[in-house]
Amino acid sequence: MKNRAKKVFFLAGIFFAMIFASCSSKTRVSSLISSLDEVDRYIAQGYPEDALKLLAKLQKKSVSPMEAVGIYKRYATLGEEKSAEKLLLRTLKKNPENLELNAVYVNYLKKQGDVEQAFSRAQILRGTRYASLYAELYLRRIAAQDVEHSTDFFLGEEFKPIYLGAYSVTREDAWLENAALIHLSRGEYSDAVELAGEESADANDAFFWACVFYDSERFDEAAMRLLQAQGFLKNESANALGGRKTPRKAYPSQIELSALLSDAYVGMGDDEAAQAVRDNLIANYMLGDSEDASSDLLSAIYLNSALYAQSRDDKKAAYMNLSYVVEKWPDYVPALIAYGNFAYESARQILDDPLTRALREVGISSADMRRFDEMPRVSISDALSRMEESLGRKKDEKLYVAKLELEEKTERNVDVRERLSKIWRVLERNSLGTNLYPPAIMQYAIHTLLSLEQYDEAKSLFEKYIKARFEFNAERTFEENVADFVRKMHLWEVEYCAYFAAAEENADFAKRLYEYAVYERGVSDSGGTGISAECSVQSAANLAMIYSSTGSKDKALELYGRVSGRAMDSYLKSDIMYRIACLYAAKGDKEGARQSLEYGLYLNPGNARAHLMMSSF
């Protein structure tokens, strides 16, 4: 019983001691606060000596870090820098890890102009709520250096916490954008978009993040930000009309926003919405009197509208847009090439069968004849003339090659020797040195030689060009050199390396090159298909054929299926359907094979191999 009583008494003693300690602590804090209030009154009433005496008395006691900060602030107000620093250093000695004390001391050193010591002290603040101080000092040190840094310097990984730290205090969106640019410079789109806030501050901010979302293939979110940006611009215009002052910032133009918005809708698969955006923009700028109407982006809007019309077989709208764009922007190469293609298609469309001629002779015209007669046309001579005039003003490899190809498609009765002679003349006129030529010219030459069945000449010319362009190491094999430089090559160069390797039965090397072209190069822009948007359909089909011939029939079938939708040429697509049929037949799926053959023959009724295979079912 006595022991129990002692135990209770002991616990009670602890309890009362805790109460006493708590009361003592509260009393001390209350006393300090009242003393600091008294210091503030002395300062306000103009009695600095009395304030200093009381501060000196207070700092002799043991004070907590936060209490020391309170005393420091009063010393700083009174201009007593030395006393303030001594207090901070003494308290820091006892509490070296305290973030508040370190932040205050770093800020003190910064104000004194001691950037180096402040930066050294600020290391502890990295990644904390005081990271902005570290960020500021980091940038100050760089600015103080007598060195000009490139843009790439500021895209180093070490700058990311700097920018995020600066944003945490300033809430300026530019700092977040800087951090995102570090990821974007490395192609890390998914990491960049994670930095986007839920709301945009203004049109610039919305446009920036729209671009980031677009590059990340998050087209719906890109469209949302672009619509926000357009809303911001409308508000700015309304403010200007109402006489209210607006910030003087260089906002994106409506053309920039609309151009990207239409592309975002295309990425979402909504071609009609994309065209609606283009139509609205064209309606606003049709007169072409404003400064914006000369924008190169507007020329792309007109061209895309023309291509959309062509995809819908609306020849009249295609003609109107193409005619306008080549008149307004006579040196816009993509439009000149599209105009040439339109001219070629115009020349190919002939309605001159015996029945039509007979009907015309008696003055009768059918609905088909009237549609044909009303169809707008572009003469090939007009298209070639425009190309020639543009090349006279500005050299462009792609336009030059497009002109050569259009001339060749319309030439009649030209024998192989004359075409070969023309290729060598073109190469001679465009030589950049021994075995060196502009890439577009070389691509044209190799393609034409192969189309003329001049395999040996094409292979020899291509290998000499590749060796010269990349200065191959003579001690290494051709294949080893290609592997070393493959990421620096144009994609068409990689594809031809693979083609010639396959032709020489170097299947392993050809397979690896084709896999790089199909699955690695530009896959982020593939639109979700998993294969490169840049590689040619023929290269993907060749890789599928290699898979099939090396026993990977399932991989071959999958790749053929993916690439068949991208094949625009009916003959090539028919051939792909024949190959798919062969794979189905090998798997014992006769129905799948038959359906593939039927579709292939629908695309190209003259597909002899498909006819032969169909006869066996």
Side-chain angles (χ1 to χ4, degrees):
M1 189 72 176
K2 288 182 180 180
N3 289 337
R4 185 179 176 186
K6 285 181 180 178
K7 187 174 183 181
V8 171
F9 178 78
F10 176 71
L11 291 173
I14 292 176
F15 177 71
F16 285 120
M18 289 173 64
I19 292 176
F20 178 78
S22 177
C23 291
S24 173
S25 174
K26 288 179 180 179
T27 301
R28 186 175 63 79
V29 171
S30 177
S31 174
L32 178 67
I33 291 173
S34 63
S35 296
L36 290 176
D37 287 342
E38 191 174 351
V39 169
D40 291 337
R41 284 196 295 275
Y42 283 142
I43 294 173
Q45 293 169 5
Y47 300 111
E49 295 84 358
D50 293 330
L52 286 172
K53 285 179 183 178
L54 184 52
L55 286 173
K57 183 179 178 182
L58 289 173
Q59 76 165 16
K60 288 180 181 179
K61 302 176 182 180
S62 177
V63 292
S64 68
M66 291 308 296
E67 291 168 345
V69 170
I71 297 171
Y72 161 80
K73 287 179 179 178
R74 273 71 180 182
Y75 271 131
T77 301
L78 292 165
E80 293 292 320
E81 303 290 348
K82 293 293 183 183
S83 298
E85 184 179 16
K86 285 180 181 179
L87 171 65
L88 286 176
L89 288 172
R90 186 170 71 248
T91 314
L92 271 169
K93 190 174 182 180
K94 296 178 181 178
N95 306 274
E97 304 298 321
N98 185 272
L99 292 177
E100 286 74 18
L101 277 176
N102 277 286
V104 171
Y105 188 49
V106 166
N107 198 49
Y108 167 81
L109 292 170
K110 184 187 74 171
K111 288 181 178 178
Q112 300 301 310
D114 194 346
V115 174
E116 285 301 321
Q117 189 178 351
F119 178 72
S120 178
R121 280 275 183 176
Q123 299 297 319
I124 195 174
L125 304 178
R126 296 177 65 179
T128 72
R129 59 184 179 277
Y130 300 109
S132 60
L133 263 177
Y134 172 79
E136 180 186 350
L137 289 164
Y138 191 98
L139 294 173
R140 279 182 179 236
R141 291 177 75 241
I142 292 173
Q145 296 172 356
D146 189 20
V147 178
E148 285 192 21
H149 295 290
S150 66
T151 302
D152 290 343
F153 173 78
F154 293 97
L155 294 176
E157 181 65 27
E158 68 275 12
F159 279 95
K160 183 180 175 181
I162 304 303
Y163 299 147
L164 294 179
Y167 172 76
S168 68
V169 173
T170 65
R171 312 311 290 180
E172 285 287 336
D173 298 294
W175 293 114
L176 268 187
E177 293 169 10
N178 286 344
L181 285 171
I182 293 174
H183 291 299
L184 293 173
S185 68
R186 301 194 295 243
E188 299 167 353
Y189 301 112
S190 59
D191 292 323
V193 295
E194 292 302 318
L195 296 173
E198 293 185 4
E199 296 293 333
S200 297
D202 56 28
N204 278 327
D205 188 44
F207 183 57
F208 174 84
W209 290 111
C211 293
V212 176
F213 280 119
Y214 183 88
D215 288 341
S216 305
E217 297 183 17
R218 291 165 63 166
F219 302 116
D220 53 340
E221 290 165 288
M224 182 189 71
R225 296 284 175 148
L226 290 164
L227 292 171
Q228 286 180 1
Q230 289 183 332
F232 281 122
L233 285 189
K234 287 180 181 178
N235 289 337
E236 292 297 331
S237 298
N239 287 340
L241 288 172
R244 293 189 294 274
K245 291 184 178 180
T246 59
R248 294 185 177 181
K249 298 180 74 172
Y251 288 123
S253 69
Q254 284 289 359
I255 292 179
E256 290 176 295
L257 297 177
S258 295
L260 188 58
L261 181 58
S262 66
D263 287 347
Y265 283 136
V266 170
M268 294 163 64
D270 194 345
D271 291 340
E272 291 184 8
Q275 186 56 36
V277 173
R278 293 192 288 263
D279 285 340
N280 181 61
L281 190 63
I282 288 172
N284 289 331
Y285 290 93
M286 193 64 190
L287 295 177
D289 293 330
S290 70
E291 183 179 347
D292 282 340
S294 63
S295 166
D296 288 341
L297 284 174
L298 192 56
S299 63
I301 290 287
Y302 275 96
L303 176 58
N304 288 337
S305 294
L307 297 177
Y308 173 83
Q310 280 187 296
S311 72
R312 297 297 190 274
D313 202 30
D314 186 348
K315 298 290 193 298
K316 184 176 180 181
Y319 171 77
M320 289 178 61
N321 283 308
L322 280 174
S323 297
Y324 182 81
V325 75
V326 295
E327 285 289 341
K328 183 72 178 176
W329 296 275
D331 294 323
Y332 183 40
V333 170
L336 289 169
I337 293 174
Y339 192 73
N341 292 335
F342 190 92
Y344 178 66
E345 291 301 320
S346 296
R348 288 181 64 189
Q349 294 166 348
I350 299 174
L351 193 63
D352 193 34
D353 56 278
L355 177 59
T356 299
R357 288 196 298 271
L359 289 173
R360 288 190 188 281
E361 287 175 3
V362 297
I364 299 175
S365 62
S366 66
D368 286 342
M369 291 166 63
R370 286 194 295 272
R371 279 195 296 271
F372 178 80
D373 292 339
E374 293 170 0
M375 188 182 300
R377 285 177 171 75
V378 171
S379 69
I380 290 176
S381 60
D382 179 37
L384 289 172
S385 175
R386 290 179 184 276
M387 290 178 174
E388 187 68 36
E389 289 173 5
S390 180
L391 288 169
R393 292 186 291 268
K394 182 181 178 181
K395 291 187 67 175
D396 186 280
E397 297 171 27
K398 291 183 178 179
L399 183 59
Y400 178 63
V401 168
K403 179 176 176 290
L404 290 174
E405 291 175 339
L406 182 58
E407 288 172 340
E408 289 173 3
K409 285 191 290 188
T410 55
E411 289 174 346
R412 296 286 186 269
N413 303 318
V414 179
D415 62 23
V416 172
R417 286 177 298 177
E418 176 56 31
R419 291 191 66 185
L420 288 173
S421 177
K422 182 178 179 180
I423 292 171
W424 297 117
R425 288 198 303 271
V426 167
L427 289 171
E428 185 178 353
R429 284 198 298 267
N430 292 276
S431 176
L432 301 176
T434 305
N435 297 321
L436 285 173
Y437 309 91
I441 303 295
M442 176 53 55
Q443 186 178 10
Y444 156 79
I446 300 300
H447 173 77
T448 307
L449 285 171
L450 289 173
S451 69
L452 296 174
E453 299 181 355
Q454 305 296 310
Y455 174 83
D456 291 337
E457 289 82 351
K459 181 173 182 289
S460 175
L461 177 65
F462 178 73
E463 288 189 354
K464 289 177 182 178
Y465 159 78
I466 286 292
K467 289 176 181 178
R469 186 161 120 72
F470 295 101
E471 298 180 355
F472 276 12
N473 185 340
E475 296 180 0
R476 293 170 65 80
T477 66
F478 181 80
E479 290 78 9
E480 289 172 335
N481 276 296
V482 169
D484 290 341
F485 291 100
V486 67
R487 295 188 182 278
K488 295 182 179 179
M489 290 182 179
H490 294 300
L491 187 57
W492 70 266
E493 293 170 334
V494 177
E495 290 177 317
Y496 271 126
C497 283
Y499 170 81
F500 287 120
E504 298 296 321
E505 299 184 357
N506 189 348
D508 289 340
F509 188 54
K511 175 185 170 185
R512 183 66 195 97
L513 289 175
Y514 275 135
E515 284 178 334
Y516 169 74
V518 173
Y519 292 119
E520 298 177 38
R521 186 76 167 261
V523 173
S524 63
D525 300 322
S526 66
T529 65
I531 62 176
S532 172
E534 299 175 15
C535 78
S536 68
V537 172
Q538 188 63 62
S539 288
N542 287 348
L543 176 59
M545 186 167 62
I546 291 174
Y547 283 151
S548 177
S549 63
T550 55
S552 301
K553 298 191 182 301
D554 288 339
K555 289 177 72 174
L557 191 59
E558 180 189 16
L559 184 53
Y560 276 136
R562 286 182 178 183
V563 78
S564 63
R566 283 179 46 189
M568 302 304 292
D569 182 272
S570 59
Y571 292 94
L572 175 57
K573 193 164 186 173
S574 176
D575 185 56
I576 290 173
M577 298 313 298
Y578 165 75
R579 297 184 193 184
I580 290 175
C582 292
L583 288 169
Y584 275 132
K587 290 166 66 70
D589 186 351
K590 290 188 176 181
E591 180 60 23
R594 186 182 61 77
Q595 290 180 0
S596 298
L597 288 171
E598 286 179 350
Y599 186 42
L601 287 169
Y602 166 77
L603 293 168
N604 176 22
N607 189 329
R609 293 192 299 173
H611 273 296
L612 182 61
M613 186 175 181
M614 181 65 90
S615 65
S616 65
F617 285 95

